[in-house]
Amino acid sequence: MSRTPGRLRVAVAAPLSEENCALVQELEPRIDLVVDHSLLPPMRWPADFAGDPDWRRDPGRQRAYEAAIDSADALYGIPDVDPAALARAVRANPGLRWVHTMAAGGGGQVKAAGLTAEELGRVVFTTSAGVHGRPLAEFAVFGVLAGAKDLPRLTRQQRDREWTGRWTMGQVSRQTVLVLGLGGIGRAVATALHALGATVIGTSRRDTAVPDVPGVCAVVHPDRITEVAPTVDAVVNTLPGTDATEHLVGKRFFEALRPGACLVNVGRGSVVDETALADALDSGRVGFAALDVFEKEPLPGDSPLWDHERVLVSPHTAALDAAEDRLIAELFAANATRLLDGQDLLNRVNTVEFY
C-alpha cells in the first residue's frame, strides 16, 4: 500500500518526541518518517497532541506542514486534531491510505470530518484504544470505592471539623457493578473490580454469552440495562459516543436504579444524560458520581454538577499517563508492521457507527 514498494512513508502530524520517533523506526525499520518538530506545537503535558493553543504556524510553515502530510502514505495523528484539517488531507492526498488517531475514541473525530463513502473506503482509520485501559480502570475503581466509602460525607465532615458517630461503609467486595461496554477499557475495569471481589455484569450488543473476562458473571444487551439496574450498586460507563449510545444512561435508567447507587463515567460524556443525572442526584437515586467526561467540554460554569456535593468532577484527565506517548508510538509501530505485511490493523474505526 505504500508508494515505495516494501516501505511506508509516514508524516508525523501530531507532536512526537525525538525519542519516540526513534522508537517507532526501531520497532518497524520499514517506516520512513517525515517529521519536522518545528512544525508541531509544543506539548504542555504528556499526550497533549493539540499542543499550546497560542502557538501558530506562519503561512510558510503551514504550507510545509501540509506538503509533508500530502506526501505520505500514512499519518501519525489527525492534523492539528482538527476534523476539517483531516478532510483536507484526505482530499489533497489520493495516496493516503491510513490515519492513526491519538484518542481511544478517535471515531468521533473521523465522523466530524464529513468524509464521503469513497474516502472512508479508501483510507483506513485506527485509534489508540487499549492504551488508556489501565489508567481509566484505576479511576473507575477509585470512583466505585469513593462511592462505597461515602467520600462526600467524609470530606464534608472533615471540612466542618465534625466528629460524628460511626457508620457502616459499603464493601465493594459485596457489591454488584454494571460495566457498560466490554472493549479494552471495559475489560480492564471488569478485571480490576473482580480483583476487589465485586460481582460484575457487562454489556455487549453482539454477544450475550459470558466472555473471557475475569469476574464478568453475566452479559446483557445495552437495551436491557434498565432491567438489571435495580440489582446494581454501581455503574461504570466505558462506552464510546455514538448515535446508539447517546443518553443510554438517562431518566428511565436512573428511575430503575437501586437508590444510592454510584455512577462513574470514563467513556464519553454523551452516554449520560446530565439533566437526568442531576435530578437523580437530587433525589438520592444516585448517591455519588465520579465523572471524567461530560456532554460538553469544558464543563460549562453554570452546570449544577460543579456545585453538587456528591459529584466529583475530573477535567477529562483520568486517562493521562506519563507513558501514554510511548505506548501510542508502540501501537502505531505494531500496526505499521501489520499494514506492511498485509494483515488486519488493530483498533480499526467502524466507519458506519464511528467507534
Side-chain angles (χ1 to χ4, degrees), residues 82-84 86-87 106-115 354:
D82 180 359
L86 173 61
Q109 297 169 333
V110 176
K111 180 180 181 180
L115 300 173
F354 293 96

Side-chain angles (χ1 to χ4, degrees), residues 89-105:
V90 170
R91 289 162 186 162
N93 182 359
L96 185 63
R97 292 293 178 266
W98 172 37
V99 176
H100 182 76
T101 71
M102 301 293 102

Side-chain angles (χ1 to χ4, degrees), residues 181-260:
L182 288 175
I185 296 170
R187 285 170 173 259
V189 170
T191 300
L193 289 169
H194 167 63
L196 292 176
T199 298
V200 181
I201 300 172
T203 68
S204 173
R205 288 190 303 157
R206 293 175 176 79
D207 185 5
T208 54
V210 177
D212 184 21
V213 180
V216 175
C217 69
V219 179
V220 299
H221 192 281
D223 291 346
R224 296 184 54 221
I225 60 172
T226 300
E227 297 176 27
V228 300
T231 71
V232 303
D233 303 284
V235 181
V236 179
N237 174 53
T238 73
L239 290 168
T242 69
D243 291 342
T245 64
E246 184 170 2
H247 286 186
L248 178 68
V249 179
K251 183 174 185 290
R252 183 166 167 264
F253 177 80
F254 288 128
E255 287 177 345
L257 195 60
R258 177 179 289 175

Side-chain angles (χ1 to χ4, degrees), residues 6-7 25 34 50 88 103 135 137 146 171 174 221 227 267 274 276 288 293 335 340-341 347:
R7 300 196 67 80
Q25 292 188 293
V34 181
R88 188 217 66 82
Q171 304 300 312
R174 292 199 290 271
H221 192 281
E227 297 176 27
E274 290 176 7
F288 177 71
V293 290
N335 256 344
L340 286 161
D341 290 345
N347 299 343

